[in-house]
Amino acid sequence: MENIALIDSFSEFKDDKLIDRVTLMAILEDVFRNALKKKYGSDDNFDIIINPDKGDMEIWRRRIVVADEDLDLENEEITLTEARKIEADFEIGEEVSEEVKLIDLGRRAILALRQNLISKIHEHDNTNLYKQFKDLIGEIYTAEVHHVRPRVVILIDDEGNEIVLPKEKQIPSDFFRKGDNVRGIIESVELKGNKPQIVMSRTADKFLEKLFEQEIPEVFDGLIMIKNVVRIPGEKAKVAVDSYDDRIDPVGACVGMKGSRIHGIVRELGNENIDVINYTSNLQLYITRALSPAKVSSVKIDEEKKRAEVFLKLEEVSKAIGRGGHNIKLAGLLTGYELDVIREGAAIEEDDVELTEFSDEIDGWVIDEFAKIGLDTARSILNQDVADLVRRTDLEEETILEVIRILKEEFQD
């Protein structure tokens, strides 16, 4: 009965860890065999009988009967005198099976056995959890906010699993309270020691792609394909879509009447502005569409350098660049080409100077950075706000201030 009582006390782990009884019994056998090896040196001559239905077990040790003076291996042999205490008609050479009680292992061994069992169950639980979430990488998952910390939000799912949402994986406008339900994609699962760390992301491009699959039936059914997704989380995104069925307007189906279908996605992403465009293998047309809402006059492509010069009328330049340079940056990411904005037919003011004229004082790559946002003359830069130039280019404020100093000196002279 003591064996049964011990197993019943161990069964509390079954309820806590949601581990099935059969698996628990397999772990139990492994743990008991380790305890027997420590106690007797070997478990080869022990039989452990486990009944997962009843939840009981028995341990039997098999030993060969030898003459009292011939006893050599105490674990594998038993003297004739000791054997006949168990059953009076035993003879030398016969096998004796004797039940081993847990009490025989000793109190310290039982405590160690319990600790070993806890460790094995945690190991089993963590292995299963790792496999479960490894299969969910790239999929949308929902969990509840359990704790909000400065650098990370701790989430708990319906099964009590802990998921982390780091600050850098949150949309800038995200604000969470305890108890809020949060959606994101499972981005990674890593073993930290023996415990898996499950990381959620709301900033990944894949999250937007999966939201399209969830919210738009034609995407879910495969009638519309998501060809590419690029994002500046919380600010702007571009999604290229296509359909093999000419009867389906992929952009119209994704956006819906007056934006009805995409509205839920925009709201989920903190009012992120989403441009949906028709994908095409015609690169010039693809670049033109990617720069919407600007109207592009023409595109000159250098496939070898993966660069394209985009010619626009003066009034279209700001639309192509977009607020903070987001539109042109995303268009470049979407198409895979570095885009240079060229103002078409822009007349230079009489007292203005082409920026290339300053190539002896300003590095060529700096001039290129300004050209990307449509600034190719001295006055076009001097008319801009410094903070805006820092935001729209990849230049440091110190570099921009030095350029402005050089340009101002030119006009002072």
Side-chain angles (χ1 to χ4, degrees):
M1 286 299 292
E2 60 192 23
N3 287 2
I4 297 172
L6 184 62
I7 290 175
D8 285 342
S9 73
F10 287 159
S11 292
E12 66 194 64
F13 299 113
K14 170 183 176 294
D15 299 325
D16 291 343
K17 293 291 178 183
L18 300 175
I19 187 171
D20 63 273
R21 185 171 280 270
V22 174
T23 303
L24 178 64
M25 293 301 159
I27 292 173
L28 270 169
E29 179 172 359
D30 184 51
V31 167
F32 274 101
R33 286 201 173 277
N34 285 334
L36 292 170
K37 285 176 187 176
K38 286 183 180 179
K39 172 77 174 173
Y40 299 104
S42 171
D43 68 327
D44 292 343
N45 58 316
F46 287 85
D47 295 317
I48 299 178
I49 303 167
I50 298 177
N51 186 335
D53 296 325
K54 293 182 180 179
D56 60 8
M57 66 171 287
E58 297 173 356
I59 303 174
W60 293 84
R61 178 163 63 158
R62 291 175 279 102
R63 290 186 287 177
I64 301 298
V65 179
V66 297
D68 290 15
E69 63 275 13
D70 293 336
L71 182 66
D72 186 28
L73 304 171
E74 288 190 15
N75 182 40
E76 299 173 14
E77 298 173 342
I78 185 172
T79 64
L80 182 61
T81 301
E82 289 299 317
R84 286 181 171 172
K85 289 179 182 178
I86 299 169
E87 199 169 310
D89 57 356
F90 270 124
E91 298 293 341
I92 291 173
E94 291 185 326
E95 185 177 78
V96 175
S97 287
E98 185 181 15
E99 186 173 5
V100 176
K101 303 295 184 182
L102 288 180
I103 195 70
D104 297 337
L105 298 177
R107 181 175 171 276
R108 297 181 84 180
I110 292 173
L111 289 174
L113 188 150
R114 180 182 176 85
Q115 187 58 46
N116 195 13
L117 177 68
I118 294 170
S119 176
K120 290 280 185 183
I121 288 176
H122 280 299
E123 184 180 318
H124 168 83
D125 190 52
N126 288 335
T127 300
N128 280 354
L129 191 63
Y130 179 81
K131 289 178 181 176
Q132 174 191 342
F133 278 91
K134 201 74 174 171
D135 291 338
L136 289 173
I137 288 177
E139 298 295 329
I140 284 186
Y141 204 76
T142 303
E144 186 179 292
V145 175
H146 179 67
H147 193 72
V148 179
R149 294 176 182 164
R151 299 295 306 164
V152 69
V153 172
I154 308 299
L155 309 168
I156 301 292
D157 69 7
D158 291 340
E159 295 179 359
N161 300 313
E162 183 179 289
I163 299 162
V164 297
L165 177 60
K167 187 72 176 176
E168 64 271 18
K169 306 292 183 184
Q170 299 170 28
I171 296 168
S173 60
D174 279 344
F175 178 75
F176 303 115
R177 291 188 179 91
K178 184 178 174 65
D180 287 348
N181 281 326
V182 179
R183 273 200 298 181
I185 63 158
I186 302 300
E187 187 172 71
S188 65
V189 184
E190 299 175 2
L191 281 172
K192 299 288 186 181
N194 287 326
K195 186 177 180 183
Q197 183 183 64
I198 305 157
V199 180
M200 179 184 280
S201 173
R202 286 172 50 80
T203 58
D205 296 344
K206 192 75 173 177
F207 182 39
L208 178 51
E209 182 180 335
K210 287 295 179 180
L211 284 172
F212 266 70
E213 285 184 15
Q214 266 197 2
E215 303 293 333
I216 299 162
E218 291 86 347
V219 176
F220 180 81
D221 294 336
L223 298 173
I224 294 174
M225 287 81 65
I226 306 290
K227 301 296 285 189
N228 198 7
V229 175
V230 291
R231 296 175 65 197
I232 298 173
E235 293 288 344
K236 192 174 179 65
K238 286 184 183 285
V239 182
V241 296
D242 196 11
S243 174
Y244 292 125
D245 191 337
D246 293 337
R247 296 170 297 177
I248 296 176
D249 170 18
V251 173
C254 290
V255 175
M257 290 288 291
K258 296 182 180 179
S260 57
R261 282 187 160 189
I262 207 169
H263 180 67
I265 299 174
V266 171
R267 191 171 58 246
E268 174 69 51
L269 300 180
N271 293 322
E272 193 170 301
N273 190 313
I274 302 172
D275 289 344
V276 184
I277 68 166
N278 276 312
Y279 173 81
T280 175
S281 56
N282 181 326
L283 188 54
Q284 285 196 340
L285 182 56
Y286 192 32
I287 291 173
T288 299
R289 289 175 177 173
L291 281 168
S292 64
K295 293 179 181 178
V296 177
S297 299
S298 62
V299 179
K300 184 180 177 182
I301 297 171
D302 186 336
E303 292 188 11
E304 190 176 325
K305 293 182 179 179
K306 300 288 282 184
R307 271 183 105 108
E309 290 183 339
V310 183
F311 295 85
L312 304 107
K313 291 180 180 178
L314 185 59
E315 62 270 20
E316 297 296 325
V317 171
S318 60
K319 295 178 188 175
I321 294 165
R323 186 169 66 88
H326 293 157
N327 197 61
I328 195 167
K329 180 178 180 181
L330 289 173
L333 291 171
L334 191 73
T335 60
Y337 274 70
E338 194 170 336
L339 306 179
D340 298 325
V341 169
I342 308 295
R343 292 186 294 173
E344 189 181 53
I348 299 176
E349 294 178 33
E350 192 173 325
D351 62 342
D352 204 351
V353 183
E354 289 275 5
L355 202 56
T356 52
E357 295 293 320
F358 296 88
S359 56
D360 56 337
E361 296 178 86
I362 303 172
D363 289 338
W365 68 271
V366 175
I367 293 172
D368 289 342
E369 279 297 313
F370 284 115
K372 285 178 190 176
I373 61 169
L375 304 177
D376 51 13
T377 70
R379 287 204 180 278
S380 67
I381 292 173
L382 291 174
N383 290 335
Q384 302 293 320
D385 179 70
V386 173
D388 192 46
L389 289 174
V390 171
R391 189 172 65 252
R392 291 168 60 190
T393 67
D394 287 333
L395 300 172
E396 298 289 337
E397 183 177 352
E398 184 180 346
T399 303
I400 292 170
L401 289 172
E402 176 62 15
V403 170
I404 289 172
R405 183 192 66 76
I406 292 168
L407 299 180
K408 280 184 176 178
E409 282 184 358
E410 169 68 20
F411 289 106
Q412 286 169 359
D413 292 343

